[in-house]
Amino acid sequence: MSLKIAISKGRVLKAFVKRIENVGYSFDQLNSRKLMISSRDEKIQLITVKSLDVPLYVKNGYADLGIVGSDVIDEYSDVFYEIYDLNMSKCDLCIAGKTDLTLEEKGYLKIATKYPKQGRDYLKDKKIEGEVIKLNGSVELGPLLGISDCILDIVETGNTLKENNLIVKEVYKSISSRIIANKIFYKTKNKEITEFLEKIDKVFGGMTNE
Amino acid sequence: MNYKALEKLNFVDKQLTKLAEQHGYQKIFPKSIDNYAGFKEDYKASNLTPFKLIDREGEINILHEDPTISLFQAELKTDKLFYLTKVFSWDSKYKENLKGGLEILGSESDISDVEIIVLSYKFLESLGVENFYVEIGHSDYIQELLTMAGMEKPLMQKINDQIHKKNSGMIRKYLKELSIDENLKQQIADIPKMFGSIDEVVQRLETNCIEGKKISEVKRKLKTMVQLFKKYDLELSKIKIDFSLTNKYSYYNGIIFKAYTNNYGKKLLQGGRYTLNKNQKEINGVGFGFNLREILGGIKMNGRKMRDYTIMVSNANVEQSIVLAEKLRKMGYTVKKMEDKLNFELIQRIKSDYILEVDKKMVKVIDSIRDQVFKKDIINYVDDVRRNKMMESIH
């Protein structure tokens, strides 16, 4: 029985495949336009999707496992298992704003973000009154156009912030790619999943379930 | 809702009613809308965010997300009840759904816990869901191990979250800094792995050297439950344990359970033991509930097909059609009569498994299961159907 793994296209897919080739998984059709690619031994099948869709495939049982950043995972609660930290594609989820913004002085904080749940969690954690404005992209426009006081977004190099005259005010949490599992298939395909995790643990050395 | 889905919904309703009534449960009709004031405390304690409406008088009303809460507020004269009702829940936006369930109110016994779990099993069996299993957990097991470790509440919450995610790696990371007994650390880190058949898990519980009052009670309860399960006509291998099982409703405080089926990624039903307030008094209950949309999906993918018939009636064959329909109904089949002329377009539109057209002593059968069309003498055809039904019941 092969394991179906939903994985975000692009960098994550390339980095993941490159690493698991070292433990015997190889793929013939990686450079084709195929959205479902099986390993040569047919033990795993990668379903390439947009990162925001990975949890949906796993939650609804169209994939057994999913590989996606913890920024996306944390927008959901209790709908799948988060079983392994791949420790790759690392970055930070940060609060950023204009240079003159002082978070402590804001009585009411407006946050523009692609991550509304984590925006609300941030306000709750810090015990700050405020609101979250959900934007689907170009969140840097929030403070620039006065839509919000700050943004909550992924920061890798910081170049986009710099070009838009914004700076990191606080690192909220560290992000890395994780493996999530469908709650039912984790049980019914536990043998296959455990074997897979044991194998890839040799190259990722993450925080395995075992 | 399309014809097939509606048909399945009626089937689920029928099976639930039949099973519940056989066991002495009474059907009730919970309210969908209520005044918020009477439920404020229950909703605060439950983690639920009901849809609120302000009426003309400025009163806040709620559309219930979970019928269990409204049951406790109602003046019920029965302690065993079941329902199929509308609920409203948040999933990116407020959605209307149908929820069914079965509850025992007021009882705290192991016997009630077992009865509810057995009924959830029988319910899935009656729906023809194949390869399903019911998984049982108990909130006290986790709670006692974490309490023994003497950790602060925020850390306890973090570890609890990771247990539910089955992330042993993260649990170990959190535990690393704690100066507690290594054996206890190991047992906490191993909670996500505490799942499997009842025998396996009970065996592992027995070999654990850490003993606590609550853990001993969980062990005793599981053993009693196994003894009682054995007296019922069910496959014990379909009942499993998972100690990292959770329920999003925080009023559950003892046994919790969920049912799944292979190759369908959603739960079919869930339930457990809970405590709620009624007139400043705590009342215990145990029950299970299911979301119609989720359970229908499970039937579609794994379930046995529900056979049904449509008989085409015209002036020329009305009497024979009635007689044939009655014979099939007597065998338990659903038979719908249609006063229409059979044509290709109509055949495509009718979703029945069999379309029948009577012509004097013969019946024309359009069999969509085997993709066949044939004619047969009515008496012989009824005999064939009866024989096939007997064969099915034997298998």
Side-chain angles (χ1 to χ4, degrees):
Chain A
M1 209 188 316
S2 79
L3 282 179
K4 284 185 187 159
I5 305 171
I7 183 166
S8 47
K9 295 175 194 174
R11 273 186 303 169
V12 175
L13 173 68
K14 278 185 188 161
F16 180 72
V17 167
K18 203 177 166 192
R19 301 270 277 272
I20 63 169
E21 275 176 349
N22 295 325
V23 281
Y25 294 107
S26 54
F27 301 86
D28 286 330
Q29 298 155 317
L30 204 58
N31 296 319
S32 72
R33 284 176 174 268
K34 281 199 162 188
L35 299 173
M36 290 162 82
I37 314 156
S38 288
S39 61
R40 265 188 213 145
D41 61 3
E42 296 192 340
K43 289 258 169 78
I44 59 173
Q45 185 181 44
L46 299 175
I47 305 167
T48 58
V49 297
K50 285 202 161 196
S51 66
L52 286 174
D53 290 337
V54 171
L56 301 175
Y57 280 81
V58 177
K59 175 187 155 199
N60 294 319
Y62 299 110
D64 308 312
L65 301 176
I67 293 170
V68 67
S70 50
D71 54 323
V72 176
I73 294 170
D74 289 349
E75 281 301 295
Y76 295 82
S77 52
D78 199 31
V79 286
F80 35 69
Y81 295 136
E82 186 186 317
I83 55 172
Y84 192 90
D85 187 349
L86 289 162
N87 273 320
M88 65 172 211
S89 313
K90 286 183 169 182
C91 54
D92 293 321
L93 186 66
C94 300
I95 290 282
K98 287 183 183 171
T99 43
D100 58 354
L101 172 74
T102 317
L103 290 172
E104 296 76 26
E105 285 175 9
K106 276 278 167 194
Y108 191 87
L109 191 69
K110 285 186 189 174
I111 306 173
T113 183
K114 283 183 277 187
Y115 308 103
K117 182 176 174 289
Q118 288 162 97
R120 286 192 296 271
D121 289 348
Y122 174 81
L123 291 172
K124 206 174 154 190
D125 289 351
K126 304 284 171 184
K127 298 189 175 74
I128 303 173
E129 282 284 309
E131 67 183 282
V132 172
I133 297 144
K134 162 103 175 26
L135 294 178
N136 291 314
S138 306
V139 287
E140 291 81 4
L141 286 172
L144 298 181
L145 297 177
I147 302 167
S148 66
D149 301 308
C150 60
I151 62 170
L152 176 72
D153 204 15
I154 295 290
V155 178
E156 282 171 271
T157 59
N159 287 342
T160 317
L161 289 181
K162 211 172 170 185
E163 282 177 29
N164 289 290
N165 299 318
L166 301 175
I167 56 163
V168 172
K169 295 285 174 180
E170 189 182 344
V171 176
Y172 179 42
K173 54 171 109 161
S174 300
I175 304 297
S176 60
S177 288
R178 313 271 166 96
I179 298 184
I180 54 173
N182 175 279
K183 284 194 162 186
I184 293 132
F185 297 141
Y186 180 78
K187 313 263 172 61
T188 56
K189 293 186 172 179
N190 192 263
K191 195 170 158 264
E192 292 88 344
I193 291 174
T194 308
E195 264 172 30
F196 172 70
L197 288 180
E198 276 170 1
K199 245 177 153 178
I200 66 160
D201 193 47
K202 288 174 193 153
V203 281
F204 286 101
M207 288 168 190
T208 172
N209 171 296
E210 288 309 305
Chain B
M1 194 176 271
N2 63 31
Y3 175 84
K4 266 287 170 204
L6 198 64
E7 200 178 31
K8 276 193 201 172
L9 190 156
N10 286 328
F11 177 68
V12 170
D13 186 21
K14 218 187 284 176
Q15 295 305 97
L16 178 71
T17 305
K18 194 174 156 191
L19 180 75
E21 286 180 350
Q22 262 180 353
H23 291 79
Y25 287 67
Q26 195 181 328
K27 189 164 192 171
I28 56 148
F29 299 89
K31 282 164 82 178
S32 295
I33 186 165
D34 257 310
N35 192 294
Y36 184 46
F39 296 88
K40 213 171 175 177
E41 292 309 312
D42 292 321
Y43 272 103
K44 257 188 193 168
S46 69
N47 284 347
L48 300 174
T49 47
F51 186 50
K52 291 178 189 146
L53 304 163
I54 299 175
D55 67 17
R56 287 182 200 178
E57 311 290 323
E59 288 282 320
I60 303 174
N61 296 290
I62 41 160
L63 294 175
H64 284 297
E65 178 173 344
D66 181 19
T68 311
I69 289 181
S70 67
L71 296 182
F72 274 87
Q73 298 291 336
E75 289 302 324
L76 295 165
K77 296 222 166 17
T78 176
D79 57 351
K80 289 191 172 187
L81 46 97
F82 72 102
Y83 55 83
L84 188 64
T85 186
K86 268 185 189 172
V87 289
F88 302 84
S89 57
W90 176 262
D91 183 9
S92 312
K93 58 181 179 181
Y94 276 102
K95 285 181 183 166
E96 181 185 297
N97 207 340
L98 278 167
K99 196 167 175 180
L102 219 140
E103 318 270 343
I104 301 177
L105 303 183
S107 166
E108 290 182 58
S109 70
D110 296 341
I111 302 166
S112 300
D113 289 352
V114 169
E115 179 168 311
I116 286 293
I117 294 171
V118 169
L119 286 176
S120 73
Y121 179 110
K122 285 188 178 178
F123 176 53
L124 295 174
E125 201 174 45
S126 75
L127 295 179
V129 182
E130 290 165 357
N131 303 322
F132 69 85
Y133 58 95
V134 182
E135 224 166 38
I136 306 170
H138 200 296
S139 51
D140 285 352
Y141 179 75
I142 301 175
Q143 222 182 356
E144 181 145 71
L145 285 180
L146 297 185
T147 310
M148 277 178 184
M151 58 186 78
E152 300 280 320
K153 222 176 172 187
L155 180 62
M156 200 187 260
Q157 188 54 51
K158 276 182 187 169
I159 293 183
N160 220 4
D161 288 348
Q162 297 305 324
I163 288 172
H164 303 321
K165 287 178 180 175
K166 288 204 182 286
N167 194 339
S168 297
M170 281 303 282
I171 299 170
R172 250 183 245 123
K173 193 183 163 194
Y174 287 133
L175 291 172
K176 215 173 177 180
E177 306 303 320
L178 285 179
S179 47
I180 56 166
D181 177 48
E182 284 304 314
N183 187 22
L184 180 59
K185 260 188 199 179
Q186 189 59 45
Q187 280 198 37
I188 295 173
D190 282 348
I191 298 174
K193 289 190 265 180
M194 286 293 278
F195 69 91
S197 73
I198 299 185
D199 286 340
E200 268 169 34
V201 178
V202 169
Q203 177 91 37
R204 272 149 72 190
L205 276 177
E206 289 293 350
T207 52
N208 278 351
C209 28
I210 290 178
E211 272 297 337
K213 208 176 151 196
K214 283 184 179 172
I215 293 174
S216 303
E217 173 57 18
V218 171
K219 271 196 262 182
R220 184 209 59 78
K221 197 173 184 79
L222 286 179
K223 282 182 194 165
T224 310
M225 287 173 82
V226 175
Q227 286 310 312
L228 294 175
F229 283 142
K230 282 179 182 166
K231 302 295 166 201
Y232 285 94
D233 181 22
L234 43 88
E235 282 175 57
L236 211 54
S237 61
K238 285 186 170 177
I239 298 179
K240 297 177 189 292
I241 304 279
D242 182 1
F243 277 122
S244 44
L245 211 61
T246 50
N247 196 310
K248 70 171 177 172
Y249 304 129
S250 57
Y251 47 74
Y252 282 94
N253 55 6
I255 284 285
I256 45 177
F257 61 93
K258 291 185 184 184
Y260 305 103
T261 174
N262 287 347
N263 301 321
Y264 179 59
K266 296 177 188 173
K267 65 178 182 302
L268 296 168
L269 55 84
Q270 65 178 359
R273 176 158 286 285
Y274 50 82
T275 305
L276 283 170
N277 290 308
K278 188 183 175 185
N279 306 328
Q280 272 103 44
K281 232 179 97 183
E282 281 192 342
I283 295 184
N284 294 297
V286 60
F288 76 80
F290 59 89
N291 179 318
L292 237 297
R293 215 171 282 156
E294 286 178 346
I295 208 161
L296 290 189
I299 297 171
K300 181 184 76 189
M301 297 185 70
N302 290 35
R304 195 170 48 210
K305 203 156 173 6
M306 294 165 272
R307 309 249 167 124
D308 67 345
Y309 293 82
T310 295
I311 296 187
M312 310 309 297
V313 183
S314 67
N315 287 337
N317 66 16
V318 61
E319 286 179 17
Q320 297 98 309
S321 298
I322 291 171
V323 172
L324 177 58
E326 285 297 287
K327 281 184 178 160
L328 292 169
R329 284 192 193 115
K330 211 169 180 179
M331 284 188 253
Y333 292 110
T334 300
V335 187
K336 183 179 170 186
K337 292 208 297 275
M338 266 184 96
E339 291 177 49
D340 223 326
K341 240 193 153 102
L342 202 55
N343 58 44
F344 183 72
E345 194 216 340
L346 192 65
I347 293 170
Q348 297 290 309
R349 206 152 42 85
I350 296 173
K351 304 289 182 196
S352 288
D353 298 318
Y354 304 98
I355 303 171
L356 309 178
E357 192 175 41
V358 179
D359 179 18
K360 290 172 190 160
K361 286 183 177 175
M362 301 296 279
V363 59
K364 181 181 177 183
V365 181
I366 299 169
D367 179 341
S368 68
I369 296 174
R370 288 181 196 83
D371 216 6
Q372 287 176 349
V373 180
F374 58 90
K375 266 191 169 187
K376 210 160 193 174
D377 180 272
I378 296 177
I379 298 169
N380 289 341
Y381 181 66
V382 171
D383 271 353
D384 284 354
V385 174
R386 189 173 289 123
R387 209 171 303 125
N388 286 340
K389 192 169 185 272
M390 274 168 63
M391 295 302 285
E392 275 174 16
S393 66
I394 291 166
H395 291 113

